[in-house]
């Protein structure tokens, strides 16, 4: 009998159609899965995120065993757990007298880099297969990007629409437009009938994981319970169907809205399942597309949802692999301020930040506008070091993996790449937050007041950000009108804005 191969399955690769599984032999090969301290602590991940992944991994291992695979599964509290993926592969290789190692490419550059050193460490061939769960391969994206002066998601997205055929009539988009985002910016009003995402009662496996996480990672950020995430493919599918039936029709209209007493509005809360491999992204898009063709969901909702997955999600992954490892060090504005303490405690008088961070702490979730225009916008306006901002986002959200989180944070949210990913900084004063939310109604600051102790801090910080970075931003064609407005202000008014901002920043801890 020929020697076995080890097939390593990572915590975000919980997919039966994974390329490494497709290449493996049930009769000969051994699947290796491991909960290791190194992966839970390279940044101090939210307790709910660790629990979600460990439980989902344990459930997936049971599924694989029932499907005829031999699984070598190492729990975190196994006495001989080495604490690292490299150590676990070395242990398994020795224990099973393996001839080779196969793995689907990891989503994070640091792991790919480590795996490329395993050949020397193990003395065994290590075959890293492409991750075929994405529509665009690394080469596909590099070919699309080559020779372009600007890399813009909108044009890449059109290629993905053509490639998949989603919402297409021949070579043209259904409805005559590629993008219906202009219809998706409506503020919302609280409604007692607003849908809630599907929640699931922890089973015995999950209860065991919750106990383990409480004991081993109790000092990490975030609330562990109540824990309601699904941890199996069947539960993820149920969450998808709940979203489609109850929330999809209004998702488009209100996807940018924020409400104090509605944490989820019409959002899907599916990204954690998609990014961990429990849902197939293209299958999800095709399922959502059927709702449009059946007349149960409007085009702006369906197109907006599909764009987030085959457009934005694929685009940021392409940027990540095209620009790493140097991308993580980008700091276009040379921002050096430390991340304020309230990002960990939510103890701030700013109602919008308090709501977004409290929700993040309790749910390991906030939707994209809360991330971009509240926590992200504030950090950029205040001049926080973008690497600290990046590490915070990577820690605190259950759907965060570096390949998707880093470009969203460093590029889109902080503009730290100088415009590689986005055409202008997503900077906004309090007026935007007031328009799209009800946060300002309960805030001790006054959003209509522009300067002074009681002014919404976003108002003076907005102009302070633009003024201190004028040498880098005045040439941006999308900011020309903004700078003309600033230049028309009196010297006294400009000084008042800058003084108010500086007084606020001096008190920032």
């Amino acid at each position: 009998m020929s020697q076995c191969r080890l097939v390593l399955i990572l915590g975000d690769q919980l997919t039966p159609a994974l390329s490494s599984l497709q290449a493996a032999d049930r009769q000969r090969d051994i699947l290796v899965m491991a909960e290791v301290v190194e992966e839970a602590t390279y940044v101090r991940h939210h307790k709910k995120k660790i629990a979600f992944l460990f439980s989902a991994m344990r459930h997936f291992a049971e599924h694989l065993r029932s499907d005829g695979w031999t699984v070598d599964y190492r729990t975190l509290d196994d006495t001989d757990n080495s604490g690292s993926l490299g150590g676990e592969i070395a242990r398994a290789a020795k224990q099973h007298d393996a001839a080779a190692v196969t793995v689907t490419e990891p989503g994070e550059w640091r792991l790919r880099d480590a795996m490329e050193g395993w050949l020397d460490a193990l003395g065994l061939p290590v075959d890293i297969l492409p991750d075929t769960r994405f529509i665009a391969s690394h080469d596909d994206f590099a070919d699309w990007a080559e020779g372009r002066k600007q890399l813009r998601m909108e044009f890449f997205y059109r290629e993905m629409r053509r490639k998949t055929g989603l919402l297409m009539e021949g070579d043209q988009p259904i409805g005559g437009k590629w993008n219906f985002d202009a219809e998706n910016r409506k503020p919302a009003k609280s409604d007692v009938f607003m849908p809630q995402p599907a929640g699931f009662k922890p089973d015995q496996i999950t209860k065991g994981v919750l106990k383990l996480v409480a004991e081993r990672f109790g000092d990490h950020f975030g609330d562990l319970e109540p824990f309601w995430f699904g941890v199996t493919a069947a539960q993820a599918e149920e969450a998808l169907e709940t979203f489609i039936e109850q929330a999809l029709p209004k998702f488009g209209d209100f996807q940018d809205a924020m409400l104090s007493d509605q944490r989820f509005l019409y959002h899907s809360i599916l990204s954690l399942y998609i990014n961990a491999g429990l849902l197939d992204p293209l299958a999800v898009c095709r399922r959502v597309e059927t709702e449009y063709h059946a007349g149960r969901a409007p085009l702006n909702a369906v197109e907006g949802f599909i764009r987030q997955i085959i457009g934005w999600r694929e685009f940021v992954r392409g940027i990540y692999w095209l620009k790493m490892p140097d991308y993580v060090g980008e700091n276009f504005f040379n921002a050096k301020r430390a991340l304020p303490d309230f990002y960990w405690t939510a103890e701030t008088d700013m109602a919008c930040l308090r709501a977004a961070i409290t929700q993040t702490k309790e749910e390991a979730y906030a939707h994209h506008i809360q991330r971009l225009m509240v926590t992200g916008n504030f950090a950029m306006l205040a001049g926080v070091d973008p690497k600290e901002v990046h590490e915070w986002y990577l820690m605190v959200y259950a759907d965060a993996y570096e390949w998707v989180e880093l470009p969203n944070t460093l590029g889109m949210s902080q503009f730290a790449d100088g415009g590689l990913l986005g055409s202008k900084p997503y900077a906004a004063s309090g007026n935007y937050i007031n328009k799209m939310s009800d946060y300002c109604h309960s805030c001790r600051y006054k959003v209509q007041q522009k300067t002074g102790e009681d002014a919404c801090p976003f108002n003076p910080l907005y102009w302070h950000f633009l003024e201190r970075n004028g040498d880098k931003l005045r040439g941006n064609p999308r900011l020309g009108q903004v700078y003309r407005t600033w230049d028309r202000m009196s010297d006294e008014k400009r000084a008042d804005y800058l003084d108010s901002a500086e007084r606020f920043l001096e008190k920032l801890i």
Side-chain angles (χ1 to χ4, degrees):
M1 183 177 176
S2 60
Q3 282 182 290
C4 75
R5 287 183 301 175
L6 300 180
V7 180
L8 177 63
I9 309 295
L10 302 176
D12 60 349
Q13 297 180 343
L14 310 181
T15 309
L18 195 69
S19 58
S20 55
L21 282 172
Q22 296 301 304
D25 183 338
R26 273 184 182 81
Q27 306 307 313
R28 179 195 65 192
D29 298 334
I30 294 175
L31 311 185
V32 177
M33 299 180 70
E35 304 163 7
V36 294
V37 168
E38 186 175 73
E39 292 305 303
T41 59
Y42 72 94
V43 296
R44 292 166 58 83
H45 296 288
H46 194 297
K47 290 192 283 287
K48 266 194 174 74
K49 180 180 182 180
I50 299 172
F52 163 65
L53 286 172
F54 282 3
S55 181
M57 288 169 66
R58 293 185 186 189
H59 283 88
F60 189 61
E62 290 300 306
H63 167 77
L64 292 169
R65 289 188 181 110
S66 69
D67 199 31
W69 293 98
T70 300
V71 183
D72 180 339
Y73 192 100
R74 195 61 71 193
T75 63
L76 189 83
D77 52 356
D78 281 337
T79 55
D80 57 348
N81 189 316
S82 66
S84 71
L85 290 174
E88 286 307 298
I89 281 293
R91 174 201 56 78
K94 182 178 180 180
Q95 179 180 336
H96 301 293
D97 191 24
V101 176
T102 299
V103 62
T104 294
E105 179 182 69
E108 300 195 356
W109 187 90
R110 64 178 180 85
L111 270 182
R112 169 86 200 213
D113 186 52
M115 288 175 181
E116 288 173 349
W118 286 359
L119 171 62
D120 292 337
L122 298 172
L124 297 175
V126 178
D127 190 14
I128 303 176
L129 303 179
D131 192 340
T132 54
R133 298 175 298 172
F134 292 89
I135 300 164
S137 69
H138 300 328
D139 288 343
D140 289 340
F141 189 85
D143 289 345
W144 173 82
E146 187 175 5
R148 292 178 183 265
K149 292 182 178 179
Q150 293 182 321
L151 304 182
R152 294 292 174 257
M153 187 279 290
E154 180 64 28
F155 300 107
F156 173 76
Y157 167 55
R158 295 177 187 183
E159 293 301 311
M160 295 299 97
R161 288 273 294 275
R162 293 187 179 103
K163 184 172 183 176
T164 61
L166 286 162
L167 295 178
M168 296 293 291
E169 290 178 328
D171 197 43
Q172 296 301 311
I174 287 175
K177 293 193 300 184
W178 293 100
N179 185 319
F180 289 82
D181 197 40
E183 298 178 23
N184 295 346
R185 299 169 185 165
K186 298 175 183 175
K189 293 182 179 179
S190 191
D191 185 337
V192 293
F193 300 109
M194 199 166 281
Q196 293 296 307
F200 303 91
K201 187 177 179 180
D203 63 8
Q204 287 307 117
I205 292 176
T206 301
K207 286 178 181 177
V209 168
L210 293 173
K211 183 174 183 292
L212 173 70
V213 172
E215 291 171 352
R216 295 292 297 273
F217 306 104
D219 60 344
H220 280 219
F221 175 80
D223 294 358
L224 181 58
E225 298 188 67
F227 185 89
W228 55 269
F229 294 152
V231 291
T232 67
Q235 289 177 335
E237 289 287 348
E238 185 178 334
L240 170 62
E241 292 304 314
T242 298
F243 164 67
I244 286 172
E245 292 170 12
Q246 299 182 17
L248 176 62
K250 293 186 177 180
F251 164 76
D253 290 350
F254 303 114
Q255 66 173 286
D256 287 5
M258 297 172 283
L259 292 173
S260 300
D261 63 346
Q262 297 288 347
R263 292 181 168 183
F264 306 107
L265 287 93
Y266 299 95
H267 290 275
S268 72
I269 330 299
L270 297 176
S271 54
L272 78 163
Y273 304 129
I274 293 173
N275 290 351
L278 295 176
L279 289 175
D280 176 78
L282 187 54
V284 168
C285 289
R286 296 203 188 285
R287 174 70 185 86
V288 168
E289 183 189 35
T290 65
E291 294 300 293
Y292 167 72
H293 290 300
R296 292 188 292 264
L299 184 55
N300 70 307
V302 171
E303 185 278 320
F305 181 88
I306 287 173
R307 176 165 22 96
Q308 288 188 357
I309 295 178
I310 71 166
W312 194 252
R313 184 175 185 268
E314 293 275 339
F315 180 71
V316 296
R317 178 180 183 257
I319 292 284
Y320 177 82
W321 285 104
L322 190 69
K323 296 299 181 181
M324 281 297 280
D326 295 337
Y327 192 72
V328 72
E330 295 282 355
N331 190 349
F332 180 65
F333 296 126
N334 195 32
K336 300 266 179 82
R337 187 178 301 278
L339 191 73
D341 286 351
F342 63 71
Y343 274 73
W344 304 109
T345 65
E347 294 172 2
T348 171
D349 288 339
M350 288 174 282
C352 57
L353 281 158
R354 185 170 64 246
I357 295 166
T358 298
Q359 175 179 327
T360 296
K361 177 177 175 289
E362 294 178 0
E363 308 286 1
Y365 166 82
H367 74 65
H368 66 288
I369 295 299
Q370 291 171 309
R371 301 188 202 194
L372 177 65
M373 300 308 299
V374 179
T375 52
N377 181 27
F378 181 86
M380 182 177 66
L381 297 184
V384 176
D385 184 330
K387 192 169 183 181
E388 286 198 35
V389 183
H390 144 60
E391 289 180 347
W392 184 79
Y393 279 96
L394 186 58
M395 288 183 211
V396 302
Y397 291 116
D399 60 0
Y401 301 88
E402 193 178 72
W403 66 266
V404 65
E405 174 276 325
L406 178 61
N408 268 303
T409 302
L410 203 80
M412 187 180 191
S413 170
Q414 301 302 294
F415 204 72
D417 63 7
L420 172 72
L421 189 139
S423 58
K424 73 175 182 68
Y426 278 89
S429 67
N431 182 56
Y432 175 86
I433 295 169
N434 190 36
K435 176 185 174 185
M436 297 308 301
S437 80
D438 63 357
Y439 295 146
C440 300
H441 301 167
S442 60
C443 189
R444 94 111 174 121
Y445 294 105
K446 298 177 175 62
V447 70
Q448 302 301 339
Q449 190 166 323
K450 305 303 182 184
T451 60
E453 289 295 317
D454 293 329
C456 168
F458 280 91
N459 292 336
L461 287 176
Y462 173 74
W463 292 111
H464 190 274
F465 164 77
L466 290 169
E467 171 63 13
R468 74 174 184 266
N469 294 301
D471 58 332
K472 295 180 177 178
L473 293 177
R474 277 186 174 271
N476 187 308
R478 296 191 64 188
L479 293 175
Q481 182 57 50
V482 176
Y483 275 105
R484 285 191 288 274
T485 298
W486 175 246
D487 292 340
R488 284 196 298 268
M489 292 182 193
S490 67
D491 291 344
E492 292 78 12
K493 189 173 184 179
R494 286 199 299 266
D496 197 14
Y497 271 120
L498 299 180
D499 289 345
S500 291
E502 286 164 12
R503 284 197 299 272
F504 177 83
L505 291 172
E506 285 172 5
K507 298 176 185 176
L508 203 58
I509 302 173

